[in-house]
Amino acid sequence: MRSLALLLSCAAVLAAGCSKEPEPAPVAATPKPAAAAPVDHDEHSYAEPQKVAIDDLALDIAVDFDAKTIGGTATYTLDWKDKAATRLVLDTRDLTIAKVEGEANGAWAPLQYALAPKDAVLGSKLTIETPARNAKVRVTYTSSPEASGLQWLTPEMTEGKQLPFMFSQSQQIHARSWVPLQDTPQVRYTYSAHVTSRPDVMVLMSADNDPAAARDGDYTFKMPQKIPSYLMAIAAGDLVFKPISARSGVWAEPAMVDKATKEFEDTEKMIAATEQLYGPYRWDRYDMLVLPPSFPYGGMENPRLSFITPTVIVGDKTLVSLIAHELAHSWSGNLVTFSSAKHGWLNEGFTSYVENRIVEALYGKETSSMEYSIARNSLKKEIGTMPEATQSLAVKPGTTLDADDALSAVSYDKGAWFLQFLEERFGRQEFDAFLRGYFDHFAFQSITTEQFLDYAKKNLFDKHPNLVTDAEIQAWVYGTGIPANAPQVQSRGFSNTDTARIAWQGSGQLPNPQLTGGWVTQQWVHFLEGMGEKLTVEQLKQLDDAYHFTGTANGEIAMRWYPLTIRSGYVEARPEIARFIERVGRRKLIMPIYEELVKTPEGLALAKESFARARPGYHPITTGSVEALLAKASAAP
Ligand code: BES
Ligand code: ZN
């Protein structure tokens, strides 16, 4: 699926230069320091940040639930880097532009502008003529009800069924569907917002949310730290707050908030553990917003307010590594940011590594090893099927084209694996100090893989010569597959899960309930992942009678159990499969089920029926993924 998307968008995006882009010469692991700051081209944006960059954004917008629009004004304070530049180019998608004005000597006057026809991937380039290089420019606009970065839920689709709900998902290139912006991580800006809405909903943003704010339909926000556009976020609904600590808490619908706060009660400990490792948390508050189950991701690291799927709230805290992950982005990603999606591993690989360190600090080595093991098993399975060009950490220009699929297991898990490799070579103490220095050095900057390598050469590799070779670094960063010298993880919990599975598959004798009674989610996941292609219907029935997998509330189990039942022809699971994929919209959990279903005609029919019912409640990103899969399966002979 990913490779299809890649091909399709390759055709779509790069009339601008997909196949024409010359293959870059292999980049040395230790490039010579460049005279000027290196320029990284972001192929997902029309912006020209070398000429002019947004320094501050002031929004004055209204959230309209009836029209399903966000509209108002966006006022930019601009930094004209090129004193001869005469235009400001912004990214937009499906926005209606009513007016563009520039400020000169305290007065606003109209500016000429052109909105280009829509490109399927990038949206519409908005070119504003600014012969006077105005210090401020203001755009009056409205978003479309179909904005790719927003989901509008009717009251029936919420937990409480009383009030509507709306939330954004801006990463990777959807911010432009609700604010005209230089939608590239190369530009960082502060922002403020005045937001109005119907008075009975609470509005939150990726900014200084006040836990005690009155719900009155009139809200103001400030984000005093410079952020990239993909971290712009907004949500509105029947949201209440419950604290975890003085600087952390949970926003959720009233029916969810107690359960969520209990599940995430270790958050303050996670913040403290990360500060211990990598220096102070720099964003003031760290709150979490629990979204409806249609949220297409597990989590999104919106600054000061991570957006979280409710599917990790399983009652026993076994899936809270997701919180560790989104929190970790406060250092790797939000503080030090990739300069374009080609360098995605600088965000997700570093974050997966830091996540694992947080999990180890709070829950011990055994838990962190199980998590690494699960991630690496699926990376090993996936990487072999990926085109070579996408198997390296740093992706060549012109390769990563579908922004919604840009970050694969390679950026996350090969990235984390590389950092664990460096940790082992240099020793934990030295490596921790190095990373801490890295976060400080590049704080509030957006950087490339080469800037990281240059920094690592000076501050790690050259300081301790002979601990890694250039060739090893090259292989990890620019090579395909997994290097042979990758460190291995051991887990006692998994060897006992393996033993139990093998014994059962040999003898039909299920493990002692005393043993399985203590298993955590990760062990059940590992138990199921080792089952092979298929089981007999009798075997599946035996498992189901003992462990009640069908109908499980745990999505990590569901996403492994249901495909196994589909492959094995265990039709008893079908009604629950339908219920699951119609209720949950998190792509990671439901795509493996759809992918298995579409392999047979009956399965494809079931997938289509469920999708038809689920579609009104799915997020545009999930709808796009399922639609592409169904179209491909229906077209296949
Ligand atoms: N920043 C990502 C989500 C994302 C990545 C959105 C790329 C759009 C494009 C977020 O931090 C993330 O990685 N979420 C994971 C959770 C995780 C524990 C690996 C997810 O949603 O599954
Ligand atoms: Zn992430």
Side-chain angles (χ1 to χ4, degrees):
M1 207 202 75
R2 196 167 268 138
S3 54
L4 176 77
L6 202 79
L7 277 175
L8 286 176
S9 51
C10 188
V13 185
L14 293 180
C18 180
S19 51
K20 285 168 230 139
E21 191 99 33
E23 279 280 296
V27 189
T30 52
K32 303 213 167 54
V39 175
D40 177 41
H41 173 64
D42 182 350
E43 58 213 46
H44 290 124
S45 172
Y46 289 116
E48 302 168 332
Q50 272 72 45
K51 294 187 175 155
V52 55
I54 296 172
D55 221 28
D56 179 74
L57 164 71
L59 289 173
D60 193 345
I61 53 177
V63 175
D64 184 336
F65 279 97
D66 297 323
K68 297 192 172 143
T69 60
I70 287 180
T73 58
T75 306
Y76 317 96
T77 304
L78 299 169
D79 174 9
W80 290 94
K81 297 178 192 286
D82 175 351
K83 304 295 181 230
T86 56
R87 61 181 201 178
L88 166 67
V89 178
L90 299 179
D91 294 297
T92 76
R93 179 185 288 123
D94 301 326
L95 296 182
T96 305
I97 307 295
K99 197 164 42 170
V100 180
E101 300 153 290
E103 193 203 45
N105 310 318
W108 289 95
L111 294 176
Q112 297 286 319
Y113 66 92
L115 189 63
K118 178 180 174 179
D119 174 275
V121 175
L122 298 182
S124 302
K125 174 178 180 174
L126 175 62
T127 307
I128 301 167
E129 300 304 329
T130 47
R133 287 180 287 284
N134 309 65
K136 283 184 198 275
V137 166
R138 178 163 80 194
V139 176
T140 305
Y141 73 98
T142 314
S143 70
S144 150
E146 275 79 49
S148 62
L150 301 176
Q151 188 180 11
W152 300 86
L153 299 165
T154 61
E156 302 73 56
M157 295 173 189
T158 67
E159 202 70 41
K161 318 261 182 248
Q162 302 301 313
L163 294 173
F165 201 108
M166 180 278 297
F167 65 88
S168 67
Q169 169 56 41
S170 295
Q171 197 180 9
Q172 196 55 255
I173 53 169
H174 301 289
R176 64 188 68 177
S177 75
W178 64 280
V179 190
L181 279 169
Q182 288 180 307
D183 198 6
T184 166
Q186 294 172 7
V187 176
R188 309 180 70 105
Y189 54 89
T190 52
Y191 82 83
S192 60
H194 172 230
V195 185
T196 58
S197 72
R198 47 188 275 177
D200 51 358
V201 305
M202 187 68 209
V203 177
L204 304 173
M205 289 192 81
S206 51
D208 61 342
N209 301 292
D210 174 5
R215 203 190 283 199
D216 60 4
D218 194 302
Y219 307 95
T220 54
F221 303 94
K222 227 174 164 44
M223 171 42 86
Q225 287 115 326
K226 285 180 178 265
I227 60 160
S229 58
Y230 74 89
L231 296 177
M232 291 296 294
I234 187 165
D238 187 4
L239 292 167
V240 293
F241 179 79
K242 190 163 174 170
I244 288 172
S245 68
R247 57 173 167 174
S248 182
V250 172
W251 288 93
E253 284 197 62
M256 286 292 284
V257 78
D258 288 333
K259 217 175 154 205
T261 308
K262 184 97 197 67
E263 196 86 16
F264 305 150
E265 68 186 3
D266 292 341
T267 303
E268 176 58 41
K269 286 189 201 132
M270 290 184 177
I271 305 172
T274 323
E275 288 186 311
Q276 197 65 39
L277 286 167
Y278 306 118
Y281 177 75
R282 305 213 201 189
W283 304 87
D284 193 21
R285 295 196 60 83
Y286 180 76
D287 295 321
M288 292 154 284
L289 166 63
V290 178
L291 290 170
S294 67
F295 183 49
Y297 291 100
M300 178 63 214
E301 66 271 28
N302 297 316
R304 299 183 180 213
L305 183 69
S306 287
F307 284 19
I308 304 293
T309 174
T311 62
V312 292
I313 303 170
V314 288
D316 62 6
K317 300 200 254 180
T318 54
L319 299 179
V320 296
S321 58
L322 180 102
I323 305 300
H325 180 98
E326 303 315 332
L327 170 68
H329 273 304
S330 308
W331 285 261
S332 44
N334 299 4
L335 193 59
V336 181
T337 309
F338 56 22
S339 72
S340 69
K342 290 191 286 294
H343 308 283
W345 78 282
L346 292 179
N347 276 23
E348 298 302 343
F350 277 64
T351 294
S352 298
Y353 171 82
V354 172
E355 164 197 342
N356 200 268
R357 293 293 304 273
I358 299 171
V359 168
E360 183 188 323
L362 265 80
Y363 307 111
K365 189 91 187 160
E366 173 61 19
T367 305
S368 67
S369 298
M370 287 195 283
E371 300 220 325
Y372 262 161
S373 174
I374 291 171
R376 288 171 187 180
N377 286 341
S378 63
L379 169 66
K380 282 185 236 163
K381 236 165 91 185
E382 192 177 328
I383 202 165
T385 70
M386 293 170 64
E388 287 207 344
T390 58
Q391 292 182 22
S392 58
L393 289 179
V395 177
K396 288 181 182 139
T399 307
T400 310
L401 296 167
D402 184 324
D404 288 332
D405 276 331
L407 299 178
S408 69
V410 169
S411 357
Y412 286 83
D413 304 317
K414 187 176 172 179
W417 213 341
F418 172 44
L419 296 189
Q420 195 202 7
F421 161 81
L422 292 178
E423 181 201 315
E424 285 205 2
R425 286 292 173 91
F426 291 94
R428 182 165 273 195
Q429 209 184 347
E430 189 60 33
F431 190 66
D432 287 356
F434 162 75
L435 266 194
R436 186 179 175 141
Y438 162 80
F439 292 133
D440 279 343
H441 183 80
F442 290 111
F444 299 106
Q445 293 184 44
S446 303
I447 66 164
T448 62
T449 300
E450 288 65 38
Q451 282 174 280
F452 162 70
L453 288 175
D454 194 30
Y455 180 84
K457 178 172 161 48
K458 285 198 199 88
N459 296 282
L460 191 64
F461 309 157
D462 286 356
K463 264 191 169 169
H464 310 275
N466 307 325
L467 293 181
V468 289
T469 66
D470 247 19
E472 286 174 318
I473 303 293
Q474 288 281 336
W476 272 102
V477 178
Y478 299 105
T480 59
I482 313 290
N485 58 16
Q488 300 304 317
V489 287
Q490 296 292 335
S491 147
R492 249 178 306 113
F494 279 1
S495 13
N496 102 32
T497 312
D498 284 326
T499 310
R501 183 190 337 91
I502 293 164
W504 172 67
Q505 286 190 307
S507 68
Q509 190 68 44
L510 285 171
N512 186 333
Q514 288 225 300
L515 179 75
T516 53
W519 280 6
V520 292
T521 301
Q522 288 71 16
Q523 286 171 290
W524 289 112
V525 162
H526 188 70
F527 184 65
L528 289 175
E529 285 191 331
M531 289 296 175
E533 251 314 274
K534 285 185 190 182
L535 293 176
T536 66
V537 168
E538 292 70 34
Q539 283 177 311
L540 289 161
K541 175 110 186 52
Q542 190 191 359
L543 292 178
D544 224 359
D545 287 344
Y547 308 126
H548 311 288
F549 290 136
T550 301
T552 175
N554 188 322
E556 294 289 335
I557 294 175
M559 70 174 276
R560 277 122 181 146
W561 172 250
Y562 291 139
L564 179 64
T565 68
I566 297 164
R567 284 198 297 274
S568 309
Y570 179 65
V571 293
E572 282 89 330
R574 282 193 174 179
E576 287 297 332
I577 293 179
R579 252 168 54 96
F580 183 71
I581 61 180
E582 288 171 35
R583 187 178 61 82
V584 174
R586 182 178 171 194
R587 289 195 310 176
K588 176 193 152 184
L589 301 184
I590 62 172
M591 290 315 287
I593 299 174
Y594 274 110
E595 278 158 20
E596 207 56 60
L597 281 172
V598 303
K599 288 180 184 165
T600 66
E602 316 87 76
L604 179 59
L606 194 95
K608 284 182 173 168
E609 281 165 34
S610 277
F611 178 55
R613 278 194 293 271
R615 201 193 155 116
Y618 274 174
H619 187 281
I621 290 179
T622 303
T623 299
S625 299
V626 178
E627 257 176 358
L629 177 72
L630 293 178
K632 190 176 150 207
S634 306

